[in-house]
Amino acid sequence: MEAYAAIIERQGGEFVLDNVSIEDPRDGEVLVKVAAAGICHTDLTVRDQYYPTPLPAVLGHEGSGVVEKVGRGVSTVKPGDKVVLSFSYCGTCPACLKGHQAYCPSLFPLNFMGRRLDGSTPITRNGEDVNACFFGQSSFATYSIASENNCVKVADDAEIELLGPLGCGIQTGAGAILNSLRPAPGASIAIFGVGSVGLSAVMAAKSSGCLKIIAVDRNPARLEVARELGATDVIDASTTNAQEAIVAMTGGGTDFAMDTTAIPQVLRSAVESTHNMGETAVVGGAKLGTEFSLDMNNILFGRKLRGVVEGSSTPQVFIPQLIAMQKAGLFPFEKLCSFYDFDQINQAVEDTEKTGSAIKAILRM
């Protein structure tokens, strides 16, 4: 199968679009004709080699499209089905069997090593291997080989080009609230960093009945979007000490906090902006080896800190729930999205990373 793909050839480089060849699906695999793919911060951290996915590689892990072919043994999807592609997991370990797929011990090799577990790759260029299998999909291409576990079937009338970001970034932000922190109605929460993940958390916090939702960022335009989507208060961290402001406006700190920035100092501020017994979720992906410090006495007095991967979700359950919430007007994630043609991928990256004019860029194939 001939396809067109965006390839990162060197650390920190631009995406290079080129023709590639993609294998037919093997046992347990699915060939998807990609309709669209969101750009996520994790694609850019791998471009910069914060995670050691080998290059050259086809990235992309928020794909959506239509099933073209299925390999032997695939039973949950068939050709013609519309699917959202999410992260890859083994499906057989104790964590997966208990519904904790995001904490599968094989998560890193299945999602970041650029190869199937047997060392092969489904993508070649001019007869040379190209690293793929990124999040089990490598969806910055017109066709993707995914595993059956990656595929979330959606309705035949689904607006498929819009739905790819549910597979990672939007699922991560919303799931951190709905699946991990689970605030009770009336709770208070501070969300540090309101890109697509943080804004998804704002919407989820509103749908959960949080009465005080504080958005913290350095981008005034993003803070305005946060207010439109449900934030009751916004703090520009470039001019205000967010931690002090949060403690003051809540009379001692919030019930919950969430850090999306992967910046150690911001994470510490998030933890210290909660009251005794408060709970903080960290969802940002930092460079491997990044360390942070906390005052042990602040943790001693009942505070909790938890890491959250992929919103602690089972994609086949959670993504349809988010789609239903969107249809009901409770989760208008479409307001975050800007569309680009596939060959505008480098412009989309610039608008996401440098100017901030795109919150969630989606590439139409």
Side-chain angles (χ1 to χ4, degrees), residues 43 45 64 68 103 122 159 247 314 348:
D43 295 306
T45 59
S64 59
E68 188 96 349
Y103 306 104
E159 190 179 350
V247 171
T314 299

Side-chain angles (χ1 to χ4, degrees), residues 2-343:
E2 295 302 309
Y4 196 48
I7 302 170
I8 286 291
E9 297 181 330
R10 59 179 178 81
Q11 181 177 355
E14 290 193 336
F15 288 91
V16 175
L17 281 84
D18 207 348
N19 295 310
V20 298
S21 296
I22 297 184
E23 290 181 354
D24 280 343
R26 296 183 180 182
D27 293 357
E29 292 183 341
V30 178
L31 176 67
V32 176
K33 185 176 183 180
V34 180
I39 293 176
C40 179
H41 180 68
T42 305
D43 295 306
L44 307 182
T45 59
V46 169
R47 173 204 62 188
D48 296 338
Q49 292 289 276
Y50 284 13
Y51 295 161
T53 302
L55 305 179
V58 178
L59 305 180
H61 63 286
E62 292 183 345
S64 59
V66 178
V67 175
E68 188 96 349
K69 295 181 182 178
V70 299
R72 188 172 59 183
V74 172
S75 61
T76 57
V77 296
K78 63 184 185 304
D81 285 346
K82 289 183 175 180
V83 292
V84 173
L85 302 178
S86 192
F87 62 93
S88 187
Y89 54 89
C90 77
T92 59
C93 69
C96 288
L97 293 175
K98 292 176 182 177
H100 303 305
Q101 289 86 346
Y103 306 104
C104 172
S106 297
L107 195 80
F108 204 92
L110 286 171
N111 289 274
F112 288 99
M113 296 317 295
R115 301 273 168 158
R116 299 183 178 101
L117 293 182
D118 67 3
S120 65
T121 173
I123 297 181
T124 58
R125 178 176 54 168
N126 299 323
E128 298 291 329
D129 285 353
V130 176
N131 293 291
C133 304
F134 186 61
F135 278 68
Q137 57 176 280
S138 288
S139 53
F140 285 165
T142 51
Y143 287 88
S144 169
I145 288 288
S147 71
E148 183 176 15
N149 285 344
N150 280 70
C151 297
V152 179
K153 183 179 176 181
V154 296
D156 292 341
D157 62 353
E159 190 179 350
I160 197 61
E161 290 185 345
L162 176 66
L163 300 182
L166 295 177
C168 186
I170 291 174
Q171 163 175 264
T172 294
I177 302 297
L178 299 174
N179 299 329
S180 293
L181 294 179
R182 298 183 179 183
S188 58
I189 186 168
I191 297 166
F192 287 72
V194 286
S196 62
V197 174
L199 290 170
S200 298
V202 167
M203 290 186 285
K206 181 181 178 182
S207 74
S208 295
C210 290
L211 291 185
K212 197 163 196 66
I213 303 169
I214 305 167
V216 182
D217 206 289
R218 292 176 173 269
N219 184 322
R222 296 273 176 97
L223 291 171
E224 273 306 305
V225 175
R227 195 184 289 278
E228 292 170 12
L229 293 176
T232 58
D233 302 89
V234 299
I235 296 173
D236 186 339
S238 65
T239 60
T240 303
N241 183 306
Q243 176 190 332
E244 292 179 358
I246 291 166
V247 171
M249 72 171 64
T250 58
T254 55
D255 300 314
F256 299 96
M258 176 173 163
D259 173 53
T260 75
T261 70
I263 299 171
Q265 301 95 313
V266 177
L267 174 57
R268 180 164 182 159
S269 292
V271 172
E272 295 181 354
S273 71
T274 63
H275 58 61
N276 290 353
M277 301 294 290
E279 184 171 359
T280 301
V282 53
V283 304
K287 186 175 182 179
L288 293 180
T290 300
E291 297 182 354
F292 66 93
S293 63
L294 294 172
D295 184 326
M296 290 179 65
N297 286 292
N298 279 332
I299 296 295
L300 181 66
F301 283 92
R303 289 182 175 87
K304 299 177 183 177
L305 173 63
R306 66 183 302 161
V308 180
V309 174
E310 292 289 352
S312 297
S313 74
T314 299
Q316 286 76 8
V317 175
F318 192 52
I319 288 174
Q321 290 175 344
L322 293 178
I323 294 171
M325 289 173 64
Q326 188 236 3
K327 286 184 176 180
L330 299 174
F331 191 71
F333 71 88
E334 72 279 0
K335 294 182 179 181
L336 309 182
C337 300
S338 303
F339 287 93
Y340 295 78
D341 292 336
F342 189 25
D343 61 6

